[in-house]
Amino acid sequence: MKHLLSIAGSDSSGGAGIQADLKTFAAHGVFGMSVITAVTAQNTCGVTMVQDMTPEMITAQIDAVFNDIRVDGVKIGMVSRSESIRAIADGLRKWNPPVIVVDPVMISKSGYPLLQPEACDSLIQKLLPLATLLTPNLPEAEAICGFPIHTEQDMERAAEKILSLGAKAVLVKGGHLEGDRADDYLFDGKKALWLPGTRICTEHTHGTGCTLSSALASNLAKGMLLEDAVKAGKKYVTTAIEHGIALGKGHGPTHHFVDLYKKAGIFEL
């Protein structure tokens, strides 16, 4: 069994962050572990408070896991402060895991800022060069690249810019494009691939980005080629969105265990 580590924030409502990552790891048949970077007070309607872990605590968690357990892949999610980013980068350079998927979480679905403005440069300088794969949505790609992204041509230009900053590959997610399409663009410096996506009419999309990036980390750690890993990850998250759970008063979470529930004969999805 492969062992995957999520370095991210905790979501008290269970739909995103560490909780979504661990569910996604389990659904992919890998053993999930966690380094918590922050605790959020959060539900389906939004984030009301964030308490960051100290850099020393982040380092201690990383060392505790790597000292004892083989780590086959890492997914990095919410990291809000420059000090935290430096601690993570130092830890990953020290232990050198084979797969690092970075989801540059900057703003919650409700609009709450999860990355402090001054920390964006640290993310670009410290984490991007470590990334096997970066998975920004369009607003995140704009913040990294420094120019607006409204078209597919803009997405292609952004992917080239991101690779020039050090990432080995990038999946620019097109969910914020206007219209019925939500196509994604995968680029590794040699091969470019457009991955078609149809917009799903649902409000229950809480944790979509966390879920996709964790699926990608799982697939890559299990030895799948980049293109195959991304296609399988997109298929998984699309199914999870199609069966999103009407939980709470806002944006409910995606359903991480649809296939497992079906195999178990649990039909109320």
Side-chain angles (χ1 to χ4, degrees):
M1 178 181 287
K2 298 296 184 181
H3 311 146
L4 273 290
L5 175 63
S6 170
I7 303 177
S10 170
D11 172 7
S12 51
S13 70
I18 288 286
Q19 288 81 355
D21 296 342
L22 293 177
K23 291 172 187 177
T24 303
F25 291 159
H28 283 77
V30 303
F31 183 80
M33 304 169 290
S34 64
V35 168
I36 296 177
T37 61
V39 175
T40 70
Q42 184 174 175
N43 56 29
T44 65
C45 298
V47 179
T48 56
M49 187 175 179
V50 174
Q51 178 67 60
D52 289 294
M53 296 293 104
T54 64
E56 293 79 13
M57 185 59 189
I58 291 172
T59 297
Q61 291 178 82
I62 291 173
D63 287 344
V65 172
F66 277 93
N67 264 317
D68 183 45
I69 303 168
R70 184 192 77 244
V71 177
D72 300 300
V74 173
K75 171 265 170 81
I76 302 174
M78 175 194 166
V79 189
S80 63
R81 300 192 302 165
S82 297
E83 298 90 334
S84 302
I85 290 170
R86 286 195 293 269
I88 293 167
D90 290 345
L92 295 182
R93 281 195 299 268
K94 173 182 176 181
W95 294 105
N96 194 30
V99 171
I100 301 175
V101 175
V102 178
D103 182 21
V105 179
M106 296 182 180
I107 300 174
S108 74
K109 191 172 295 294
S110 62
Y112 192 100
L114 299 176
L115 178 71
Q116 295 179 6
E118 65 273 14
C120 188
D121 286 343
S122 294
L123 186 149
I124 293 169
Q125 295 168 10
K126 300 292 186 179
L127 293 185
L128 257 67
L130 301 177
T132 306
L133 177 64
L134 191 81
T135 63
N137 60 30
L138 296 193
E140 291 160 353
E142 288 179 342
I144 292 168
C145 296
F147 55 79
I149 303 171
H150 301 299
T151 66
E152 292 182 345
Q153 291 73 25
D154 293 336
M155 291 171 67
E156 292 175 352
R157 180 180 166 214
E160 292 181 356
K161 173 69 173 180
I162 288 169
L163 257 64
S164 76
L165 296 171
K168 295 180 181 67
V170 60
L171 179 70
V172 183
K173 299 179 293 188
H176 288 79
L177 287 173
E178 294 184 1
D180 296 331
R181 305 298 303 171
D183 298 346
D184 301 333
Y185 182 67
L186 178 64
F187 184 56
D188 67 358
K190 297 178 180 178
K191 184 175 182 180
L193 180 67
W194 277 101
L195 298 160
T198 303
R199 203 172 301 281
I200 300 169
C201 185
T202 178
E203 292 185 353
H204 307 307
T205 56
H206 184 53
T208 300
C210 306
T211 299
L212 175 60
S213 54
S214 295
L216 298 178
S218 300
N219 293 337
L220 290 171
K222 290 194 291 185
M224 294 179 69
L225 297 176
L226 177 62
E227 180 179 333
D228 295 333
V230 172
K231 287 180 177 178
K234 279 179 59 66
K235 181 179 179 182
Y236 169 77
V237 77
T238 297
T239 301
I241 294 171
E242 288 172 343
H243 295 274
I245 302 170
L247 183 73
K249 301 174 183 177
H251 296 284
T254 63
H255 198 314
H256 298 92
F257 298 113
V258 174
D259 290 341
L260 292 177
Y261 276 33
K262 287 180 178 179
K263 289 176 183 178
I266 302 172
F267 298 108
E268 289 197 22
L269 300 175

